[in-house]
Amino acid sequence: MSANRHALILTPLAILGCLYALYLVHRPDVAGQAGLAFWAFIVVLWLLTGFAISGLSHLKLKQPVARRAIGLAVPVLFGAFLFFLWEVIVIGAGVPSVLMPAPSAIAAKFSASLPLLRDDFFQTFVKSVLSGYAMGCLSGFLVAIIADRVPFLRRGLLPLGNFVSALPVIGIAPIMVMWFGFDWPSKAAVVVVMTFFPMLVNTVTGLAAVGKLERDLMHSYAAGYWRSLLKLRLPVALPFIFNALKINSTLALIGAIVAEFFGTPIVGMGFRISIEVARMSLDMVWAEIALAAIAGSAFYGLVALIERGATFWHPSYRT
Amino acid sequence: MLKRVTNEWIGENGMPATLAAQGAMKEPASPPVVAIKGLSLTYEAADGPVYALSNVDLQIAEGEFISFIGPSGCGKTTLLRVIADLEQPTGGDIHVNGVGPEEARLRRDYGFVFQAPALYPWRTIQKNIELPLEIFGVSKAERREKASKQLELVNLKGFENKFPWQLSGGMQQRASIARALSFDPKLLLMDEPFGALDEIVRDHLNEQLLKLWDKTGKTVLFVTHSIPEAVFLSSKIVVMSPRPGRIIDIIDASVLGRDRTLDIRETPEFLKIAHRVREGLRAGHSYDD
Ligand SMILES: Nc1ncnc2c1ncn2[C@@H]1O[C@H](COP(=O)(O)OP(=O)(O)OP(=O)(O)O)[C@@H](O)[C@H]1O
Ligand SMILES: [Mg+2]
């Protein structure tokens, strides 16, 4: 118990130590030629931070505000320390930036190329991903409802769904470019293909997940198909649908980026990655990766947040 | 002789039950609520047929309280489900309120209380109780009013905005009873509604159910495993036996009157009927051996 209290002293100490190490590593006489003493210092910091974070995560606090703050601080500190390690190792050991640029270099590149990144983001995320995601998910959902109504469709579509899910993006992307041209519609089409079937399969599964008694209840009220769909089966399917929405949020971004490798106008995140790799300017590639990571996590997080609100009654969220 | 006590559960202005009561006392002039003749139901399971019901004959008059009792697997649930048109018989004749079970179901003639509460977790208790009314297209104001009346009836006032999973098992079961009562069906089908409850809560709900029945003159079909519960509640007790599922005895308990208190469980009449039910159950079991 009281050992964990030490975390409140150890944490600021570890942070100060890390900041000092950052200052050290960027000095010309250390960068690229850090000595044993420096690495020994880093190892000490590692241990110190480890104790501090594990102490923090075991702290038992009374006030809910403090508990929330700690709950937030633990992952933030953990992530920050990983970035710190990345930075000091790359700078301290003088890793060539073609192999692995330092986070500071990526951040510098990121802020220096904001207009370019904004255009790429707009092209890839807003145009291709969002439109493809919306169309793919919506059509997957609607076809699932139709398939639910027409049993032979369900039996035919589900195996086909598994088959198409197994198709590699690399295979369908060039075909979509042939069909829909170089600009974003072909990328959106790839996203539609990738997101359609997860939504279809999940929704069909969800609609079938209704318990016998719950269904009998609707039957005993002589409720028609649409009423029992609306009042019972769709709510039951909602966690499954959100599951598909979450899977698709990551799939869509991957699909759109990879699809841009196969012909695109001179803008877009995938396009940028492919040409900057060829030019060996890896810091720009990493800036795009950072952008993709931020956009992808924000998108996923937003869907997960809506899910929490919409399926609050589900056993995994009940409070 | 039909003394009526008002209490918190029913309130002053319930419907006079005298008419329905008399209907149960003398044999009825009105057509039977449930008329079953030679009913059979065989499930085709993977390892051969299961004779869940075999040659069942039963007449239930309006305003009766019928308990079904018998060992597990003797077809009590199946019989209730056939009456509710949730299961199709493989032979025989069945009429509910003078029509086939399907038509009765489409007319919304009955309310079914299942063995489990089967409340929808995304709806509050109030919304769960309103569910049938919502499906029947009852206006919002009327729904509110009817639901809150039922909430009061089952002692769940103050819990209307809770979600089912925030309530105890007994409260959930009471909510499911309120839901079945919300649209005021004349026929109540209840499949072991109190099976999972402790003795005290069960006694309490038994009393409340009995008073509701006495007051409103509904016809109740009630499945139970408990002999005292069956005798305490019923005007008639149907004893069933398994393999094949069939009726082996129908015991009249109307001598106990309609207006009962828990004390009658110590009276000689009560014990005599309970004894006969037990004998019937024993006889049913010995068939197996
Ligand atoms: N859907 C089904 N398919 C096959 N057999 C079934 C099905 N439902 C019930 N049965 C069988 O029919 C018989 C009667 O079942 P039922 O549920 O009516 O019994 P019960 O009297 O309600 O029993 P309990 O007291 O345990 O609830 C049992 O042998 C059961 O195994
Ligand atoms: Mg049963």
Side-chain angles (χ1 to χ4, degrees):
Chain A
M1 263 314 281
S2 70
N4 295 330
R5 289 263 159 212
H6 293 327
L8 294 177
I9 305 153
L10 286 182
T11 307
L13 218 63
I15 292 173
L16 280 179
C18 289
L19 287 176
Y20 183 61
L22 277 179
Y23 159 75
L24 271 185
V25 82
H26 282 281
R27 275 170 46 163
D29 57 326
V30 178
Q33 49 196 13
L36 212 59
F38 178 78
W39 295 121
F41 179 45
I42 298 300
V43 170
V44 170
L45 278 179
W46 187 332
L47 292 176
L48 187 63
T49 312
F51 278 124
I53 292 182
S54 104
L56 275 187
S57 61
H58 287 107
L59 265 188
K60 293 193 173 58
L61 292 170
K62 297 237 157 43
Q63 303 103 309
V65 183
R67 220 178 310 145
R68 273 205 111 121
I70 294 290
L72 207 67
V74 168
V76 167
L77 286 177
F78 187 76
F81 187 72
L82 287 185
F83 276 105
F84 163 78
L85 272 188
W86 179 357
E87 176 87 13
V88 288
I89 291 174
V90 168
I91 304 277
V95 178
S97 78
V98 181
L99 286 188
M100 183 67 122
S104 58
I106 297 170
K109 188 72 184 175
F110 195 99
S111 54
S113 3
L114 277 181
L116 202 62
L117 287 171
R118 189 200 54 216
D119 289 348
D120 289 348
F121 175 79
F122 197 72
Q123 170 77 13
T124 304
F125 195 85
V126 178
K127 285 186 182 165
S128 311
V129 171
L130 286 188
S131 63
Y133 179 82
M135 284 189 284
C137 290
L138 192 68
S139 54
F141 177 76
L142 291 178
V143 172
I145 302 278
I146 296 168
D148 180 66
R149 212 49 181 132
V150 190
F152 81 85
L153 260 185
R154 188 164 62 239
R155 278 193 291 274
L157 269 173
L158 288 191
L160 184 70
N162 290 330
F163 174 72
V164 174
S165 308
L167 285 182
V169 210
I170 316 216
I172 44 179
I175 297 173
M176 291 303 159
V177 171
M178 300 279 279
W179 288 358
F180 297 103
F182 278 105
D183 209 348
W184 66 269
S186 61
K187 317 305 176 284
V190 171
V191 174
V192 168
V193 173
M194 288 183 76
T195 55
F196 175 81
F197 284 100
M199 180 53 92
L200 172 66
V201 172
N202 270 281
T203 308
V204 167
T205 313
L207 287 175
V210 178
K212 186 169 153 63
L213 281 191
E214 285 76 7
R215 199 194 312 252
D216 285 345
L217 193 66
M218 278 294 170
H219 195 62
S220 81
Y221 297 150
Y225 174 81
W226 292 107
R227 251 182 219 276
S228 82
L229 184 74
L230 214 64
K231 304 256 181 238
L232 171 62
R233 303 180 62 217
L234 278 182
V236 167
L238 212 55
F240 293 81
I241 293 170
F242 269 106
N243 200 24
L245 285 174
K246 284 193 294 188
I247 295 169
N248 282 346
S249 73
T250 37
L251 274 184
L253 192 58
I254 296 170
I257 290 177
V258 172
E260 284 181 5
F261 282 49
F262 301 88
T264 180
I266 52 164
V267 63
M269 292 158 74
F271 163 77
R272 192 79 52 210
I273 290 174
S274 67
I275 63 154
E276 298 293 340
V277 163
R279 279 200 211 148
M280 301 290 262
S281 72
L282 266 288
D283 47 355
M284 188 62 207
V285 173
W286 278 96
E288 290 284 356
I289 291 174
L291 175 63
I294 294 168
S297 331
F299 191 18
Y300 186 95
L302 183 71
V303 176
L305 208 66
I306 298 172
E307 175 186 32
R308 257 200 108 108
T311 61
F312 65 93
W313 48 268
H314 195 258
S316 53
Y317 295 123
R318 282 175 196 173
T319 43
Chain B
M1 91 185 197
L2 287 174
K3 210 169 32 155
R4 203 142 289 105
V5 227
T6 51
N7 61 54
E8 34 45 272
W9 217 61
I10 295 167
E12 297 282 351
N13 45 3
M15 164 196 143
T18 327
L19 264 176
Q22 284 169 350
M25 296 311 240
K26 304 176 222 141
E27 276 311 296
S30 53
V33 174
V34 177
I36 293 172
K37 201 146 185 54
L39 187 81
S40 320
L41 193 149
T42 310
Y43 287 112
E44 291 303 336
D47 53 350
V50 178
Y51 301 100
L53 292 173
S54 158
N55 202 19
V56 170
D57 294 317
L58 186 63
Q59 299 267 333
I60 298 171
E62 195 180 336
E64 281 199 282
F65 197 122
I66 309 285
S67 280
F68 296 86
I69 193 166
S72 191
C74 68
K76 305 180 295 292
T77 298
T78 305
L79 183 56
L80 242 55
R81 289 175 61 84
V82 169
I83 294 168
D85 189 40
L86 298 173
E87 217 74 72
Q88 298 309 314
T90 43
D93 255 351
I94 171 161
H95 288 275
V96 178
N97 287 328
V99 296
E102 186 180 5
E103 202 181 329
R105 174 176 64 82
L106 293 175
R107 282 198 321 216
R108 289 140 178 174
D109 272 4
Y110 67 81
F112 205 130
V113 179
F114 295 105
Q115 209 159 340
L119 299 166
Y120 294 176
W122 53 89
R123 288 175 162 256
T124 59
I125 294 301
Q126 167 101 21
K127 283 276 184 191
N128 263 292
I129 296 173
E130 284 181 22
L131 178 70
L133 302 169
E134 214 174 294
I135 286 165
F136 302 169
V138 174
S139 77
K140 192 168 173 150
E142 201 179 334
R143 279 196 325 248
R144 300 249 115 187
E145 187 207 313
K146 288 190 169 170
S148 73
K149 204 174 109 199
Q150 297 309 327
L151 270 163
E152 210 160 327
L153 203 68
V154 297
N155 265 333
L156 281 177
K157 261 269 154 344
F159 294 94
E160 48 271 78
N161 293 323
K162 295 264 185 227
F163 287 91
W165 75 85
Q166 297 169 320
L167 266 57
S168 76
M171 293 163 110
Q172 291 181 30
Q173 197 56 268
R174 278 186 275 158
S176 88
I177 293 168
R179 179 181 58 192
L181 292 172
S182 67
F183 58 101
D184 200 26
K186 297 283 289 170
L187 173 60
L188 262 183
L189 308 174
M190 306 178 93
D191 191 0
E192 294 186 48
F194 309 140
L197 307 182
D198 73 68
E199 201 81 7
I200 305 296
V201 174
R202 196 174 175 144
D203 280 351
H204 183 61
L205 287 178
N206 278 343
E207 270 191 306
Q208 291 181 325
L209 178 62
L210 199 59
K211 277 168 184 154
L212 175 84
W213 168 67
D214 186 22
K215 196 85 182 167
T216 59
K218 290 185 193 302
T219 311
V220 184
L221 276 61
F222 186 95
V223 172
T224 178
H225 276 290
S226 153
I227 296 175
E229 186 174 65
V231 180
F232 176 65
L233 290 172
S234 314
S235 57
K236 259 184 204 158
I237 300 150
V238 175
V239 183
M240 295 179 71
S241 163
R243 283 174 291 271
R246 64 202 184 281
I247 294 175
I248 51 171
D249 200 2
I250 298 179
I251 299 160
D252 191 61
S254 53
V255 287
L256 296 172
R258 289 179 66 91
D259 186 19
R260 307 171 184 182
T261 54
L262 289 167
D263 314 330
I264 67 155
R265 291 185 296 189
E266 264 89 64
T267 62
E269 291 96 333
F270 185 97
L271 295 173
K272 215 173 100 193
I273 294 166
H275 181 72
R276 206 177 137 194
V277 175
R278 192 175 307 272
E279 293 289 289
L281 283 173
R282 284 228 183 88
H285 268 292
S286 64
Y287 265 80
D288 288 331
D289 311 325

